[in-house]
Amino acid sequence: MNLAAAANETLAHNSNVLVYSAMAIYTLAFVAHMAEWVFGSRSKVARTAAALTSPTTASAPATATAERRSGGTAVLERPKVITKSAAGSRDVPDGPGAAGGTEKGDLYGRIAISLTVLAWALHVGGVVTRALSVQRAPWGNMYEFSTTFAAVATGIYLLLLVLKKNVRWIGLPLVTTVLLDLGLAVSVLYTASDQLVPALHSYWLWIHVSCAILSGAVLYLGAVATLLFLFRDRYEAKLADPAGKQPGAFAASVLERLPSAASLDKFAYRVNATVFPLWTFTIIAGAIWAEAAWGRYWGWDPKEVWSFITWVAYACYLHARATAGWKGRKAAWLGLIAFACYLFNYYGVNIFVTGLHSYAGV
């Protein structure tokens, strides 16, 4: 074995070590995120006291306090917390976040973010080291695509935090998904470092696949927001109907801390609409690469077909969001179906369908 091959093997080993180390830290971050939600679950007494002492209690329509007199002493009843918007208002007030507005919950939340940053740094190190070991873009098979995808999704989340966006509620589902993704990558999808098949030796590998990864990472965040929107919207609807079945204690403890349904819907729409042109370019870049590699722009290969189906599904979602009768839950279901198409295009087509894009390596 020559020195170059030995160096590449060492780099590949170090990449695996960094990925496993990142998984260990992500696990600690997951526990910290869980602690943030658990310790941020304030008791009824604490929630009542917070509502009474809030500087906005007297003026904001979010709370209503009843006063009764008993023996000459004014007694404040537990305020009714209203999550549905008042008539004429634009948005429902957002919840206090995963920390529940408590110092202990916020402490665990900050620990979770710090651990996520550390895990992400190790994760990126593993991806970069893998690229150095094969001396090419680190997304030539499903293992490399999965690890890079998880790193990009986490990086976008951390970037939004740096930009002071209210996205800490994504932390728990994100870390959970990253752990599942990396666990599947190292156990089922793992492929030893190797060179690419001739068709993939092109600079379009950097352009086309990187755009697909970035698009998918942003679409994932949109899908999480869309799913949570469906739960929060149902929660708000139940609270607005006193005669109907009210949410259980656990559901209330979780859902009351999320952003309002309107905020979640707006976030999902904005990220999906922002990345849709990039997904469009991804398909166009793939067609150009196909012409260079196989002599045709479009050949109805399963991967090409499902990429186009995914594009159509997201186009329908964006159109539905602009159509009065399809806003809200109907559009949200379309958004989830569109992301399911993206997932099938990745997992289903790569693993179970044979085509020109069968580079899964498993």
Side-chain angles (χ1 to χ4, degrees):
M1 181 182 296
N2 57 41
L3 293 178
N8 290 340
E9 184 176 342
T10 300
L11 287 171
H13 173 73
N14 292 339
S15 173
N16 295 338
V17 171
L18 287 170
V19 170
Y20 277 105
S21 300
M23 291 177 64
I25 305 301
Y26 277 129
T27 302
L28 295 177
F30 170 80
V31 174
H33 276 296
M34 288 293 295
E36 178 185 17
W37 282 91
V38 170
F39 289 100
S41 180
R42 299 183 293 179
S43 65
K44 291 183 177 180
V45 175
R47 287 200 300 265
T48 303
L52 290 173
T53 58
S54 173
T56 60
T57 298
S59 58
T63 59
T65 306
E67 179 178 339
R68 63 182 176 85
R69 297 204 172 260
S70 177
T73 303
V75 180
L76 292 174
E77 300 283 3
R78 182 179 184 274
K80 177 183 178 183
V81 179
I82 304 172
T83 57
K84 272 292 183 183
S85 59
S89 62
R90 295 179 59 187
D91 293 316
V92 178
D94 289 342
T102 63
E103 292 184 6
K104 183 177 289 187
D106 184 65
L107 173 62
Y108 282 107
R110 293 179 182 276
I111 292 174
I113 296 300
S114 300
L115 290 171
T116 302
V117 171
L118 175 58
W120 178 73
L122 293 171
H123 190 170
V124 171
V127 171
V128 172
T129 307
R130 174 80 174 200
L132 294 174
S133 72
V134 293
Q135 299 179 9
R136 56 167 172 79
W139 44 72
N141 50 59
M142 287 190 71
Y143 167 76
E144 295 173 355
F145 188 101
S146 296
T147 53
T148 306
F149 177 91
V152 172
T154 306
I156 293 173
Y157 166 67
L158 296 176
L159 175 62
L160 291 174
L161 288 177
V162 171
L163 296 176
K164 306 298 183 182
K165 303 298 182 181
N166 177 25
V167 294
R168 263 178 61 171
W169 46 272
I170 299 180
L172 180 58
L174 172 72
V175 171
T176 304
T177 306
V178 167
L179 280 172
L180 293 173
D181 178 74
L182 292 180
L184 183 64
V186 300
S187 61
V188 178
L189 304 178
Y190 181 77
T191 304
S193 299
D194 201 357
Q195 293 305 309
L196 301 172
V197 297
L200 295 181
H201 283 286
S202 171
Y203 61 88
W204 283 105
L205 176 68
W206 289 92
I207 300 173
H208 171 63
V209 184
S210 64
C211 289
I213 292 174
L214 181 58
S215 298
V218 178
L219 293 175
Y220 161 76
L221 297 180
V224 171
T226 301
L227 182 62
L228 293 177
F229 159 77
L230 291 173
F231 285 107
R232 173 75 188 202
D233 184 65
R234 180 63 59 87
Y235 169 73
E236 292 179 5
K238 287 183 177 180
L239 291 181
D241 182 16
K245 184 179 179 181
Q246 294 298 296
F250 175 77
S253 175
V254 173
L255 296 174
E256 71 182 2
R257 287 181 273 169
L258 291 174
S260 67
S263 296
L264 290 168
D265 186 41
K266 186 186 303 181
F267 176 84
Y269 171 70
R270 285 180 174 176
V271 297
N272 287 330
T274 299
V275 81
F276 182 72
L278 183 61
W279 179 247
T280 303
F281 173 76
T282 300
I283 297 176
I284 296 174
I288 297 173
W289 188 8
E291 195 279 332
W294 302 312
R296 89 290 187 280
Y297 290 100
W298 190 266
W300 298 102
D301 183 74
K303 177 70 70 172
E304 298 169 353
V305 171
W306 275 98
S307 295
F308 180 68
I309 290 174
T310 303
W311 184 90
V312 171
Y314 272 105
C316 291
Y317 163 78
L318 295 176
H319 178 71
R321 284 291 278 99
T323 305
W326 278 81
K327 285 183 178 180
R329 298 184 67 85
K330 291 181 180 179
W333 282 113
L334 278 177
L336 291 181
I337 291 172
F339 187 69
C341 291
Y342 178 90
L343 290 179
F344 180 79
N345 185 34
Y346 175 56
Y347 289 106
V349 174
N350 283 356
I351 296 176
F352 302 111
V353 181
T354 300
L356 292 175
H357 291 79
S358 300
Y359 307 126
V362 295

